[in-house]
Amino acid sequence: MDYGLQPYVREPRREGGATATPEAHADEMEADLQQEDRQWRLATNSWCQCGECQAMPSTDECLCCHELDSCLPNIEDQVVDCITEHHEFDIICLHPGVLRTALIARSDIRRNDLKEPLPNAAYRLQAYRQFTYWVHERLGKGVRRVIPACVVLRIRREFPSDDGTYTGFLEAEME
């Protein structure tokens, strides 16, 4: 049944593959410099303000919940040291029933079959999605956000990989 929905129809698109303006080129150069300035994060977790983070494989992933502006209201409202201690975190991001229901809904929308029993990888990926929607509320097509290290580690403890191998943050591919 067609409901006439056109998702992402009003989302801005990046034209072309090359940098369009000198300002955009300057922004890219600044981002490269910031990346170099963050290399020290790989060797220590002194950047962590909540006490739950560990150094991650990439500088992008070395992010504490206190560095993410969209986490701060949840942290401050509950007077907790880490977003993973918020009373809603366990319900939204770790409760198997909530995650399974979200996976069923996603599967239904995409018209995919959901294979039972669900592996930990499915729960883990849905937990990442749940956190992202809880904190950022809306993303859009091709928009990805880095999840704080404390959150990633807590979700991985709850839904570990069978072989201990995990995929870190990946930038969205441009069309």
Side-chain angles (χ1 to χ4, degrees):
M1 183 179 296
D2 182 16
Y3 293 102
L5 299 175
Q6 297 177 337
Y8 313 113
V9 72
R10 293 195 171 118
E11 295 292 318
R13 292 181 183 233
R14 180 177 176 182
E15 298 297 327
T19 303
T21 65
E23 293 83 12
H25 181 67
D27 288 346
E28 287 178 12
M29 288 180 60
E30 185 177 331
D32 288 344
L33 286 174
Q34 287 176 348
Q35 187 73 3
E36 289 175 16
D37 290 345
R38 295 171 52 97
Q39 288 296 320
W40 64 271
R41 289 178 174 245
L42 298 173
T44 180
N45 70 341
S46 62
W47 44 266
C48 175
Q49 298 172 41
C50 70
E52 299 296 327
C53 301
Q54 295 176 10
M56 300 296 277
S58 75
T59 57
D60 286 337
E61 295 170 281
C62 292
L63 177 75
C64 179
C65 60
H66 285 262
E67 296 177 286
L68 194 60
D69 290 341
S70 51
C71 277
L72 292 178
N74 289 324
I75 294 170
E76 292 165 355
D77 286 349
Q78 295 297 308
V79 192
V80 294
D81 292 327
C82 180
I83 192 70
T84 62
E85 297 169 357
H86 191 285
H87 75 278
E88 291 180 350
F89 179 82
D90 283 354
I91 298 165
I92 294 170
C93 302
L94 300 179
H95 193 282
V98 171
L99 297 175
R100 186 174 183 284
T101 302
L103 284 164
I104 290 168
R106 183 177 174 85
S107 175
D108 184 47
I109 290 168
R110 292 179 162 221
R111 297 183 178 172
N112 297 336
D113 289 331
L114 198 61
K115 307 280 190 276
E116 297 281 353
L118 294 172
N120 272 354
Y123 283 110
R124 191 170 54 252
L125 294 175
Q126 187 59 42
Y128 296 150
R129 280 188 213 105
Q130 296 284 105
F131 174 81
T132 302
Y133 285 121
W134 178 45
V135 171
H136 298 289
E137 296 178 357
R138 183 177 184 288
L139 289 178
K141 183 179 181 182
V143 177
R144 297 201 179 159
R145 307 274 181 141
V146 177
I147 298 172
C150 47
V151 173
V152 170
L153 294 168
R154 179 66 184 96
I155 290 170
R156 286 178 180 176
R157 275 197 309 271
E158 194 71 23
F159 304 106
S161 166
D162 292 335
D163 63 2
T165 305
Y166 300 96
T167 302
F169 176 74
L170 300 173
E171 290 285 349
E173 293 180 17
M174 299 303 288
E175 293 179 9

